[in-house]
Coordinates of all heavy atoms in Angstrom, one line a residue:
M1 N 0.8 -1.2 0.0 CA 0.0 0.0 0.0 C 0.9 1.2 0.0 O 0.5 2.2 -0.6 CB -0.9 0.0 1.2 CG -1.9 1.1 1.2 SD -3.3 0.6 2.1 CE -4.3 2.0 1.8
D2 N 2.0 1.2 0.6 CA 2.9 2.3 0.7 C 3.4 2.6 -0.7 O 3.6 3.8 -1.0 CB 4.0 2.0 1.7 CG 4.8 3.2 2.0 OD1 4.2 4.3 2.0 OD2 6.1 3.1 2.1
S3 N 3.7 1.6 -1.5 CA 4.2 1.8 -2.8 C 3.2 2.5 -3.8 O 3.5 3.4 -4.6 CB 4.7 0.5 -3.5 OG 3.6 -0.3 -3.7
N4 N 1.9 2.2 -3.6 CA 0.8 2.9 -4.3 C 0.8 4.3 -3.9 O 0.5 5.2 -4.8 CB -0.5 2.2 -4.1 CG -0.6 0.9 -4.7 OD1 0.1 0.6 -5.7 ND2 -1.5 0.1 -4.3
F5 N 0.9 4.6 -2.7 CA 0.9 6.0 -2.2 C 2.0 6.8 -2.9 O 1.9 7.9 -3.3 CB 1.0 6.1 -0.7 CG 1.0 7.4 -0.1 CD1 -0.2 8.2 -0.2 CD2 2.1 8.0 0.4 CE1 -0.2 9.5 0.3 CE2 2.1 9.3 0.9 CZ 0.9 10.0 0.9
N6 N 3.2 6.2 -2.9 CA 4.4 6.9 -3.5 C 4.2 7.0 -5.0 O 4.6 8.1 -5.6 CB 5.7 6.1 -3.3 CG 6.1 6.2 -1.8 OD1 5.7 7.2 -1.1 ND2 6.8 5.2 -1.3
D7 N 3.5 6.0 -5.7 CA 3.3 6.2 -7.1 C 2.3 7.3 -7.4 O 2.5 8.1 -8.3 CB 2.7 4.9 -7.7 CG 3.7 3.8 -7.7 OD1 5.0 4.1 -7.7 OD2 3.3 2.6 -7.8
S8 N 1.3 7.4 -6.6 CA 0.3 8.5 -6.8 C 1.0 9.9 -6.5 O 0.7 10.9 -7.2 CB -0.9 8.4 -5.9 OG -0.6 8.5 -4.6
Q9 N 1.8 9.9 -5.5 CA 2.6 11.2 -5.3 C 3.5 11.5 -6.5 O 3.6 12.7 -6.9 CB 3.4 11.1 -4.0 CG 2.7 11.3 -2.7 CD 3.6 11.2 -1.6 OE1 4.7 10.6 -1.6 NE2 3.3 11.9 -0.5
Q10 N 4.2 10.5 -7.0 CA 5.1 10.7 -8.1 C 4.3 11.2 -9.3 O 4.8 12.1 -10.0 CB 5.8 9.4 -8.4 CG 6.9 9.6 -9.5 CD 8.0 10.5 -9.0 OE1 8.3 10.6 -7.8 NE2 8.7 11.2 -9.9
S11 N 3.1 10.6 -9.6 CA 2.3 11.0 -10.7 C 1.8 12.5 -10.6 O 1.7 13.2 -11.6 CB 1.2 10.1 -11.0 OG 0.2 10.2 -9.9
Q12 N 1.6 12.9 -9.4 CA 1.1 14.3 -9.2 C 2.3 15.2 -9.4 O 2.1 16.3 -10.0 CB 0.7 14.5 -7.7 CG -0.7 13.9 -7.4 CD -1.1 14.1 -6.0 OE1 -0.2 14.4 -5.1 NE2 -2.3 13.9 -5.7
F13 N 3.5 14.8 -9.1 CA 4.7 15.7 -9.3 C 5.0 15.8 -10.8 O 5.5 16.7 -11.3 CB 5.9 15.3 -8.5 CG 5.7 15.6 -7.1 CD1 5.7 14.6 -6.1 CD2 5.5 16.9 -6.6 CE1 5.6 14.8 -4.8 CE2 5.4 17.1 -5.2 CZ 5.4 16.1 -4.3
N14 N 4.8 14.6 -11.5 CA 5.1 14.6 -12.9 C 4.0 15.3 -13.8 O 4.3 15.6 -14.9 CB 5.2 13.1 -13.4 CG 6.5 12.5 -12.9 OD1 7.5 13.2 -12.5 ND2 6.5 11.2 -12.8
Q15 N 2.8 15.4 -13.3 CA 1.8 16.0 -14.1 C 2.0 17.5 -14.3 O 2.4 18.2 -13.4 CB 0.4 15.8 -13.3 CG -0.7 16.1 -14.2 CD -2.0 15.7 -13.5 OE1 -2.2 16.0 -12.3 NE2 -3.0 15.1 -14.2
E16 N 1.8 17.9 -15.5 CA 2.1 19.3 -15.9 C 0.9 20.2 -15.4 O -0.1 19.7 -15.0 CB 2.1 19.4 -17.4 CG 3.3 18.6 -18.0 CD 3.3 18.7 -19.5 OE1 3.0 19.7 -20.0 OE2 3.6 17.7 -20.1
T17 N 1.1 21.5 -15.4 CA 0.1 22.4 -15.0 C -0.8 22.7 -16.2 O -0.4 22.6 -17.4 CB 0.7 23.7 -14.4 OG1 1.6 24.3 -15.5 CG2 1.6 23.4 -13.2
V18 N -1.9 23.3 -15.9 CA -2.8 23.7 -17.0 C -2.2 24.8 -17.8 O -1.7 25.7 -17.2 CB -4.2 24.2 -16.4 CG1 -5.1 24.6 -17.5 CG2 -4.8 23.1 -15.5
P19 N -2.2 24.7 -19.2 CA -1.6 25.7 -20.0 C -2.5 27.0 -19.9 O -3.7 27.0 -19.6 CB -1.7 25.2 -21.4 CG -2.6 24.1 -21.3 CD -2.7 23.6 -19.9
D20 N -1.8 28.1 -20.1 CA -2.5 29.4 -20.1 C -3.6 29.5 -21.2 O -3.3 29.1 -22.3 CB -1.5 30.6 -20.3 CG -2.1 31.9 -20.2 OD1 -3.2 32.1 -19.6 OD2 -1.5 32.9 -20.7
N21 N -4.8 29.9 -20.8 CA -5.8 29.9 -21.9 C -5.8 31.1 -22.7 O -6.5 31.2 -23.7 CB -7.2 29.7 -21.2 CG -7.5 30.8 -20.2 OD1 -6.9 31.8 -20.1 ND2 -8.6 30.6 -19.5
N22 N -5.0 32.2 -22.4 CA -4.9 33.4 -23.2 C -6.1 34.1 -23.5 O -6.3 34.8 -24.5 CB -4.2 33.0 -24.6 CG -2.8 32.4 -24.4 OD1 -1.9 33.1 -23.9 ND2 -2.6 31.2 -24.9
L23 N -7.1 34.0 -22.5 CA -8.4 34.6 -22.6 C -8.3 36.1 -22.6 O -9.0 36.8 -23.4 CB -9.3 34.2 -21.5 CG -10.7 34.7 -21.6 CD1 -11.4 34.2 -22.9 CD2 -11.6 34.1 -20.4
V24 N -7.4 36.7 -21.8 CA -7.2 38.1 -21.8 C -6.8 38.7 -23.1 O -7.4 39.7 -23.6 CB -6.2 38.6 -20.7 CG1 -5.9 40.0 -20.7 CG2 -6.7 38.1 -19.3
W25 N -5.8 38.0 -23.7 CA -5.3 38.5 -25.1 C -6.4 38.3 -26.1 O -6.6 39.2 -27.0 CB -4.1 37.7 -25.5 CG -3.0 38.0 -24.6 CD1 -2.3 37.1 -23.7 CD2 -2.3 39.2 -24.4 NE1 -1.4 37.7 -23.0 CE2 -1.3 39.0 -23.4 CE3 -2.5 40.5 -24.9 CZ2 -0.5 40.1 -23.0 CZ3 -1.7 41.6 -24.4 CH2 -0.7 41.3 -23.5
A26 N -7.2 37.3 -26.0 CA -8.3 37.1 -27.0 C -9.4 38.2 -26.8 O -9.9 38.7 -27.8 CB -8.9 35.7 -26.8
I27 N -9.7 38.5 -25.6 CA -10.7 39.6 -25.4 C -10.2 40.9 -25.9 O -10.9 41.7 -26.5 CB -11.1 39.6 -23.9 CG1 -11.9 38.4 -23.6 CG2 -11.9 40.9 -23.6 CD1 -12.2 38.2 -22.1
L28 N -8.9 41.2 -25.6 CA -8.3 42.5 -26.0 C -8.3 42.5 -27.5 O -8.5 43.6 -28.1 CB -6.9 42.7 -25.4 CG -6.8 43.0 -24.0 CD1 -5.4 43.0 -23.5 CD2 -7.5 44.3 -23.7
C29 N -7.9 41.4 -28.2 CA -7.9 41.4 -29.6 C -9.3 41.6 -30.2 O -9.5 42.4 -31.1 CB -7.4 40.0 -30.1 SG -7.5 39.8 -31.8
T30 N -10.3 41.1 -29.6 CA -11.7 41.3 -30.0 C -12.2 42.7 -29.9 O -12.7 43.3 -30.8 CB -12.7 40.4 -29.2 OG1 -12.2 39.0 -29.3 CG2 -14.1 40.5 -29.7
V31 N -11.9 43.3 -28.8 CA -12.3 44.7 -28.5 C -11.5 45.7 -29.2 O -12.1 46.6 -29.8 CB -12.2 45.0 -26.9 CG1 -12.6 46.4 -26.7 CG2 -13.2 44.1 -26.2
L32 N -10.2 45.5 -29.3 CA -9.3 46.6 -29.9 C -8.9 46.4 -31.3 O -8.5 47.4 -31.9 CB -8.1 46.7 -29.0 CG -8.3 47.1 -27.5 CD1 -7.0 47.1 -26.8 CD2 -9.0 48.4 -27.4
C33 N -8.9 45.2 -31.8 CA -8.3 45.0 -33.1 C -9.2 44.4 -34.2 O -9.6 45.1 -35.0 CB -7.1 44.0 -32.9 SG -5.8 44.7 -31.8
C34 N -9.4 43.1 -34.1 CA -10.1 42.5 -35.2 C -11.2 41.5 -34.6 O -10.8 40.5 -34.0 CB -9.1 41.7 -36.0 SG -9.8 41.0 -37.5
L35 N -12.4 41.9 -34.8 CA -13.5 41.1 -34.2 C -13.6 39.6 -34.6 O -13.6 38.8 -33.7 CB -14.8 41.8 -34.5 CG -16.1 41.3 -33.8 CD1 -16.0 41.5 -32.3 CD2 -17.3 41.9 -34.4
P36 N -13.5 39.3 -35.9 CA -13.6 37.8 -36.3 C -12.5 37.0 -35.7 O -12.7 35.9 -35.1 CB -13.5 37.8 -37.8 CG -13.9 39.2 -38.2 CD -13.4 40.1 -37.1
F37 N -11.2 37.4 -35.8 CA -10.1 36.6 -35.2 C -10.2 36.6 -33.7 O -9.9 35.6 -33.1 CB -8.8 37.2 -35.6 CG -8.5 37.1 -37.1 CD1 -7.5 37.9 -37.6 CD2 -9.1 36.3 -37.9 CE1 -7.1 37.8 -38.9 CE2 -8.8 36.2 -39.3 CZ -7.8 37.0 -39.8
G38 N -10.6 37.7 -33.1 CA -10.8 37.7 -31.6 C -11.8 36.7 -31.1 O -11.7 36.1 -30.1
I39 N -13.0 36.7 -31.8 CA -14.0 35.8 -31.4 C -13.5 34.3 -31.5 O -13.8 33.5 -30.6 CB -15.3 36.0 -32.2 CG1 -15.9 37.3 -31.9 CG2 -16.3 34.8 -32.1 CD1 -17.1 37.7 -32.8
Y40 N -12.8 34.0 -32.6 CA -12.3 32.6 -32.7 C -11.3 32.3 -31.6 O -11.3 31.2 -31.0 CB -11.7 32.4 -34.0 CG -11.3 30.9 -34.2 CD1 -12.3 29.9 -34.4 CD2 -10.0 30.6 -34.2 CE1 -11.9 28.6 -34.5 CE2 -9.6 29.2 -34.4 CZ -10.6 28.2 -34.5 OH -10.2 26.9 -34.7
A41 N -10.5 33.3 -31.2 CA -9.5 33.1 -30.2 C -10.2 32.9 -28.8 O -9.8 32.1 -28.0 CB -8.6 34.4 -30.1
I42 N -11.3 33.7 -28.6 CA -12.1 33.4 -27.3 C -12.7 32.0 -27.3 O -12.6 31.4 -26.3 CB -13.2 34.5 -27.2 CG1 -12.6 35.9 -26.9 CG2 -14.2 34.1 -26.1 CD1 -13.6 37.0 -26.9
I43 N -13.2 31.5 -28.4 CA -13.7 30.2 -28.5 C -12.6 29.2 -28.1 O -12.8 28.2 -27.4 CB -14.3 29.9 -29.9 CG1 -15.6 30.7 -30.0 CG2 -14.6 28.4 -30.0 CD1 -16.1 30.7 -31.4
C44 N -11.4 29.3 -28.7 CA -10.3 28.4 -28.4 C -9.9 28.5 -27.0 O -9.6 27.5 -26.3 CB -9.1 28.8 -29.3 SG -9.4 28.4 -31.1
S45 N -9.8 29.7 -26.4 CA -9.4 29.8 -25.1 C -10.3 29.3 -24.0 O -9.9 28.8 -23.0 CB -9.1 31.3 -24.8 OG -10.3 32.1 -24.7
T46 N -11.6 29.3 -24.4 CA -12.6 28.7 -23.4 C -12.5 27.2 -23.4 O -13.1 26.6 -22.5 CB -14.0 29.2 -23.7 OG1 -14.4 28.9 -25.0 CG2 -14.1 30.7 -23.4
K47 N -12.0 26.6 -24.4 CA -11.9 25.1 -24.5 C -10.7 24.6 -23.6 O -10.7 23.4 -23.3 CB -11.6 24.7 -25.9 CG -12.8 24.9 -26.8 CD -12.4 24.4 -28.2 CE -13.5 24.6 -29.2 NZ -13.1 24.2 -30.6
V48 N -9.7 25.4 -23.3 CA -8.5 24.9 -22.7 C -8.8 24.2 -21.3 O -8.4 23.0 -21.2 CB -7.5 26.1 -22.4 CG1 -6.3 25.6 -21.6 CG2 -7.1 26.6 -23.8
N49 N -9.5 24.8 -20.4 CA -9.7 24.2 -19.1 C -10.6 23.0 -19.2 O -10.4 22.0 -18.5 CB -10.3 25.2 -18.1 CG -9.3 26.3 -17.7 OD1 -8.1 26.1 -17.8 ND2 -9.8 27.5 -17.3
K50 N -11.6 23.1 -20.1 CA -12.5 21.9 -20.2 C -11.8 20.7 -20.8 O -11.9 19.6 -20.2 CB -13.6 22.3 -21.2 CG -14.6 21.2 -21.5 CD -15.7 21.7 -22.5 CE -16.6 20.6 -23.0 NZ -16.0 19.8 -24.1
L51 N -10.9 20.9 -21.8 CA -10.2 19.8 -22.3 C -9.2 19.2 -21.3 O -9.0 18.0 -21.2 CB -9.4 20.2 -23.6 CG -10.3 20.5 -24.8 CD1 -9.5 21.1 -25.9 CD2 -11.0 19.2 -25.3
W52 N -8.6 20.1 -20.5 CA -7.6 19.7 -19.5 C -8.3 18.8 -18.4 O -7.8 17.8 -18.0 CB -7.0 20.9 -18.8 CG -5.8 20.5 -17.9 CD1 -5.9 20.3 -16.6 CD2 -4.5 20.3 -18.3 NE1 -4.6 20.0 -16.1 CE2 -3.7 20.0 -17.2 CE3 -3.8 20.3 -19.6 CZ2 -2.4 19.6 -17.2 CZ3 -2.5 20.0 -19.6 CH2 -1.8 19.7 -18.4
L53 N -9.5 19.2 -18.0 CA -10.2 18.5 -17.0 C -10.7 17.2 -17.5 O -10.8 16.2 -16.7 CB -11.3 19.3 -16.4 CG -10.9 20.5 -15.6 CD1 -12.2 21.4 -15.2 CD2 -10.2 20.1 -14.3
E54 N -10.9 17.1 -18.8 CA -11.3 15.8 -19.4 C -10.2 14.9 -19.6 O -10.4 13.7 -20.0 CB -12.0 16.1 -20.7 CG -13.4 16.7 -20.6 CD -14.0 17.1 -21.9 OE1 -13.3 16.9 -23.0 OE2 -15.2 17.5 -21.9
G55 N -9.0 15.4 -19.4 CA -7.8 14.5 -19.6 C -7.2 14.6 -20.9 O -6.2 13.9 -21.2
D56 N -7.7 15.5 -21.8 CA -7.1 15.7 -23.1 C -6.0 16.8 -23.1 O -6.3 17.9 -23.4 CB -8.2 16.0 -24.1 CG -7.7 16.1 -25.5 OD1 -6.6 15.8 -25.8 OD2 -8.5 16.5 -26.4
Y57 N -4.9 16.4 -22.6 CA -3.8 17.3 -22.3 C -3.3 17.9 -23.6 O -3.0 19.1 -23.7 CB -2.7 16.7 -21.5 CG -3.2 16.1 -20.2 CD1 -3.0 14.8 -19.9 CD2 -3.9 16.9 -19.3 CE1 -3.4 14.3 -18.7 CE2 -4.3 16.4 -18.1 CZ -4.1 15.1 -17.8 OH -4.6 14.5 -16.6
E58 N -3.1 17.1 -24.6 CA -2.6 17.6 -25.9 C -3.7 18.5 -26.6 O -3.3 19.5 -27.2 CB -2.3 16.4 -26.9 CG -1.1 15.6 -26.4 CD 0.1 16.4 -26.3 OE1 0.4 17.3 -27.1 OE2 0.8 16.3 -25.2
G59 N -4.9 18.2 -26.5 CA -6.0 19.1 -27.0 C -6.0 20.4 -26.3 O -6.2 21.5 -26.9
A60 N -5.8 20.4 -24.9 CA -5.7 21.6 -24.2 C -4.5 22.5 -24.6 O -4.7 23.7 -24.8 CB -5.7 21.3 -22.7
K61 N -3.4 21.8 -24.8 CA -2.2 22.6 -25.3 C -2.4 23.2 -26.6 O -2.1 24.3 -26.9 CB -1.0 21.7 -25.3 CG -0.5 21.3 -23.9 CD 0.6 20.3 -23.9 CE 1.0 19.8 -22.6 NZ 2.1 18.8 -22.7
K62 N -3.1 22.4 -27.5 CA -3.4 22.9 -28.9 C -4.4 24.1 -28.8 O -4.2 25.1 -29.6 CB -3.9 21.8 -29.8 CG -4.2 22.2 -31.2 CD -4.7 21.1 -32.0 CE -5.0 21.5 -33.5 NZ -5.5 22.8 -33.7
A63 N -5.4 24.0 -28.0 CA -6.4 25.0 -27.9 C -5.7 26.3 -27.3 O -6.0 27.4 -27.8 CB -7.5 24.6 -27.0
S64 N -4.8 26.1 -26.4 CA -4.1 27.3 -25.9 C -3.2 27.9 -26.9 O -3.2 29.2 -27.1 CB -3.2 26.8 -24.7 OG -2.4 27.9 -24.2
A65 N -2.5 27.1 -27.7 CA -1.7 27.7 -28.8 C -2.5 28.3 -29.8 O -2.1 29.4 -30.4 CB -0.8 26.5 -29.3
D66 N -3.7 27.7 -30.2 CA -4.5 28.4 -31.2 C -5.1 29.7 -30.7 O -5.2 30.6 -31.5 CB -5.7 27.4 -31.5 CG -5.3 26.2 -32.4 OD1 -4.2 26.3 -32.9 OD2 -6.1 25.3 -32.5
A67 N -5.5 29.8 -29.4 CA -5.9 31.1 -28.9 C -4.9 32.1 -29.0 O -5.2 33.3 -29.4 CB -6.4 30.9 -27.4
K68 N -3.7 31.8 -28.6 CA -2.6 32.7 -28.7 C -2.3 33.1 -30.2 O -2.1 34.3 -30.5 CB -1.3 32.1 -28.1 CG -0.1 33.0 -28.0 CD 1.0 32.4 -27.3 CE 2.2 33.4 -27.3 NZ 3.3 32.8 -26.5
K69 N -2.3 32.1 -31.0 CA -2.0 32.4 -32.5 C -3.0 33.3 -33.1 O -2.7 34.3 -33.7 CB -2.0 31.0 -33.2 CG -1.8 31.2 -34.7 CD -1.7 29.8 -35.4 CE -3.0 29.0 -35.2 NZ -3.0 27.8 -35.9
W70 N -4.3 33.0 -32.8 CA -5.4 33.9 -33.4 C -5.4 35.2 -32.8 O -5.8 36.2 -33.5 CB -6.7 33.2 -33.4 CG -6.8 32.1 -34.4 CD1 -6.6 30.7 -34.2 CD2 -6.9 32.2 -35.8 NE1 -6.7 30.1 -35.3 CE2 -6.9 30.9 -36.4 CE3 -7.2 33.3 -36.6 CZ2 -7.0 30.7 -37.7 CZ3 -7.3 33.1 -38.0 CH2 -7.2 31.8 -38.5
S71 N -5.1 35.4 -31.5 CA -5.0 36.7 -30.9 C -3.9 37.5 -31.6 O -4.0 38.7 -31.9 CB -4.7 36.6 -29.4 OG -5.8 36.0 -28.7
I72 N -2.7 36.9 -31.8 CA -1.7 37.6 -32.5 C -2.0 37.9 -33.9 O -1.8 39.1 -34.4 CB -0.4 36.7 -32.5 CG1 0.2 36.6 -31.1 CG2 0.7 37.3 -33.4 CD1 1.3 35.6 -30.9
Y73 N -2.7 37.0 -34.7 CA -3.1 37.3 -36.0 C -4.1 38.5 -36.0 O -4.0 39.4 -36.8 CB -3.8 36.1 -36.6 CG -3.0 35.0 -37.0 CD1 -3.6 33.8 -37.4 CD2 -1.6 35.0 -37.0 CE1 -2.8 32.7 -37.7 CE2 -0.8 34.0 -37.4 CZ -1.4 32.8 -37.7 OH -0.6 31.7 -38.0
G74 N -5.0 38.5 -35.1 CA -6.0 39.6 -35.0 C -5.3 41.0 -34.7 O -5.7 42.0 -35.3
A75 N -4.3 40.9 -33.8 CA -3.6 42.2 -33.5 C -2.8 42.7 -34.7 O -2.8 43.9 -35.0 CB -2.7 41.9 -32.3
V76 N -2.2 41.8 -35.4 CA -1.4 42.2 -36.6 C -2.3 42.8 -37.7 O -2.1 43.8 -38.2 CB -0.6 41.0 -37.1 CG1 0.0 41.3 -38.5 CG2 0.5 40.6 -36.2
V77 N -3.4 42.1 -37.9 CA -4.4 42.6 -38.9 C -5.0 43.9 -38.5 O -5.1 44.8 -39.3 CB -5.5 41.5 -39.1 CG1 -6.7 42.1 -39.9 CG2 -5.0 40.3 -39.9
G78 N -5.3 44.1 -37.2 CA -5.8 45.3 -36.7 C -4.8 46.5 -36.9 O -5.2 47.6 -37.3
V79 N -3.5 46.2 -36.6 CA -2.5 47.3 -36.8 C -2.3 47.6 -38.3 O -2.3 48.8 -38.6 CB -1.2 46.8 -36.2 CG1 0.0 47.7 -36.6 CG2 -1.3 46.8 -34.7
I80 N -2.3 46.6 -39.1 CA -2.2 46.8 -40.5 C -3.4 47.7 -41.1 O -3.2 48.6 -41.8 CB -2.1 45.5 -41.3 CG1 -0.7 44.9 -41.1 CG2 -2.3 45.7 -42.8 CD1 -0.6 43.5 -41.6
L81 N -4.6 47.3 -40.6 CA -5.8 48.1 -41.1 C -5.7 49.5 -40.6 O -6.1 50.4 -41.3 CB -7.1 47.4 -40.6 CG -7.4 46.1 -41.3 CD1 -8.6 45.5 -40.6 CD2 -7.7 46.4 -42.8
M82 N -5.2 49.7 -39.4 CA -5.1 51.1 -38.9 C -4.1 51.9 -39.7 O -4.3 53.1 -40.0 CB -4.7 51.1 -37.4 CG -5.8 50.8 -36.5 SD -5.2 50.9 -34.7 CE -5.6 49.3 -34.1
I83 N -3.0 51.3 -40.1 CA -2.0 52.0 -40.9 C -2.5 52.3 -42.2 O -2.4 53.4 -42.8 CB -0.7 51.1 -41.0 CG1 0.0 51.1 -39.6 CG2 0.2 51.6 -42.1 CD1 1.1 50.0 -39.6
V84 N -3.2 51.3 -42.9 CA -3.9 51.6 -44.2 C -4.9 52.7 -44.1 O -5.0 53.6 -44.9 CB -4.5 50.3 -44.7 CG1 -5.4 50.6 -45.9 CG2 -3.4 49.3 -45.1
Y85 N -5.7 52.7 -43.0 CA -6.7 53.8 -42.8 C -6.0 55.1 -42.7 O -6.5 56.1 -43.2 CB -7.6 53.4 -41.6 CG -8.6 54.5 -41.3 CD1 -9.7 54.6 -42.1 CD2 -8.4 55.4 -40.2 CE1 -10.7 55.6 -41.8 CE2 -9.4 56.4 -40.0 CZ -10.5 56.4 -40.8 OH -11.4 57.4 -40.5
F86 N -5.0 55.2 -41.9 CA -4.3 56.4 -41.7 C -3.7 56.9 -43.0 O -3.8 58.1 -43.3 CB -3.1 56.2 -40.7 CG -2.3 57.5 -40.4 CD1 -2.8 58.5 -39.7 CD2 -1.0 57.6 -41.0 CE1 -2.1 59.6 -39.5 CE2 -0.3 58.7 -40.7 CZ -0.8 59.7 -40.0
I87 N -3.1 56.1 -43.8 CA -2.5 56.5 -45.1 C -3.6 57.0 -46.0 O -3.5 58.0 -46.7 CB -1.7 55.3 -45.7 CG1 -0.5 55.1 -44.9 CG2 -1.4 55.6 -47.2 CD1 0.3 53.8 -45.3
F88 N -4.8 56.2 -46.0 CA -5.9 56.6 -46.8 C -6.4 58.0 -46.5 O -6.7 58.9 -47.3 CB -7.0 55.6 -46.7 CG -8.2 56.0 -47.5 CD1 -8.3 55.9 -48.8 CD2 -9.4 56.4 -46.8 CE1 -9.5 56.2 -49.5 CE2 -10.6 56.8 -47.5 CZ -10.6 56.6 -48.8
M89 N -6.5 58.3 -45.2 CA -7.0 59.5 -44.7 C -6.0 60.7 -45.0 O -6.4 61.8 -45.4 CB -7.3 59.5 -43.2 CG -8.5 58.6 -42.9 SD -10.0 59.0 -43.8 CE -10.4 60.5 -43.1
M90 N -4.7 60.4 -45.0 CA -3.7 61.4 -45.3 C -3.9 61.7 -46.8 O -3.8 62.9 -47.2 CB -2.3 60.9 -45.0 CG -2.1 60.8 -43.5 SD -2.3 62.3 -42.6 CE -0.8 63.2 -43.2
V91 N -4.0 60.7 -47.7 CA -4.1 60.9 -49.1 C -5.4 61.7 -49.4 O -5.4 62.7 -50.2 CB -4.1 59.6 -49.9 CG1 -4.5 59.8 -51.4 CG2 -2.8 58.9 -49.8
V92 N -6.5 61.4 -48.8 CA -7.8 62.1 -49.1 C -7.6 63.5 -48.5 O -8.1 64.4 -49.2 CB -8.9 61.3 -48.4 CG1 -10.2 62.2 -48.3 CG2 -9.2 60.0 -49.1
G93 N -7.0 63.7 -47.4 CA -6.8 65.0 -46.9 C -6.0 65.9 -47.7 O -6.3 67.1 -47.9
V94 N -4.9 65.4 -48.2 CA -4.0 66.1 -49.1 C -4.7 66.5 -50.4 O -4.5 67.6 -50.9 CB -2.7 65.3 -49.3 CG1 -1.8 66.0 -50.4 CG2 -1.9 65.3 -48.0
S95 N -5.4 65.5 -51.0 CA -6.0 65.8 -52.2 C -7.2 66.8 -52.1 O -7.4 67.6 -52.9 CB -6.6 64.5 -52.9 OG -7.6 63.9 -52.1
S96 N -7.9 66.8 -51.0 CA -8.9 67.8 -50.7 C -8.3 69.1 -50.5 O -8.9 70.1 -50.9 CB -9.7 67.4 -49.5 OG -10.4 66.1 -49.7
F97 N -7.2 69.2 -49.8 CA -6.5 70.4 -49.5 C -6.0 71.1 -50.8 O -6.1 72.3 -51.0 CB -5.4 70.2 -48.5 CG -4.7 71.5 -48.1 CD1 -5.3 72.4 -47.3 CD2 -3.4 71.7 -48.6 CE1 -4.7 73.6 -46.9 CE2 -2.8 72.9 -48.2 CZ -3.4 73.8 -47.4
S98 N -5.5 70.2 -51.7 CA -4.9 70.8 -52.9 C -5.9 71.3 -53.9 O -5.7 72.1 -54.7 CB -4.0 69.8 -53.6 OG -4.8 68.6 -54.0
R99 N -7.2 70.8 -53.8 CA -8.3 71.2 -54.6 C -8.9 72.5 -54.0 O -9.7 73.1 -54.8 CB -9.3 70.1 -54.7 CG -8.9 69.0 -55.6 CD -10.1 68.1 -55.8 NE -9.7 66.7 -55.9 CZ -10.4 65.7 -55.8 NH1 -11.7 65.9 -55.5 NH2 -10.0 64.5 -55.8
G100 N -8.7 72.8 -52.8 CA -9.2 74.0 -52.2 C -10.6 73.8 -51.6 O -11.3 74.8 -51.4
Y101 N -11.0 72.6 -51.2 CA -12.2 72.4 -50.6 C -12.2 72.8 -49.2 O -11.7 72.6 -48.3 CB -12.7 70.9 -50.7 CG -13.0 70.5 -52.1 CD1 -12.2 69.7 -52.8 CD2 -14.2 70.9 -52.6 CE1 -12.5 69.3 -54.1 CE2 -14.6 70.6 -54.0 CZ -13.7 69.8 -54.7 OH -14.1 69.4 -55.9

């Protein structure tokens, strides 16, 4: 019986911790950057804890990585769209100014 107790203790020490679900980054991406990518990142991040508790450790790690990946994609797309919008507004402003409107 003592050996079973030691085995269970050893398995607890070997067991990894729950991966970060990246929910904060997904929400920030949704609110500040790109809605579609952010929503998908939120969906992925909410799966992490559920999969981990079900024992699907690889699935939880993949969901965590997907949430992080889609949050980054959304942030990059959001920044690119802001830059394009800024350039567009500068071109429109300069052309309006040169016409005398």
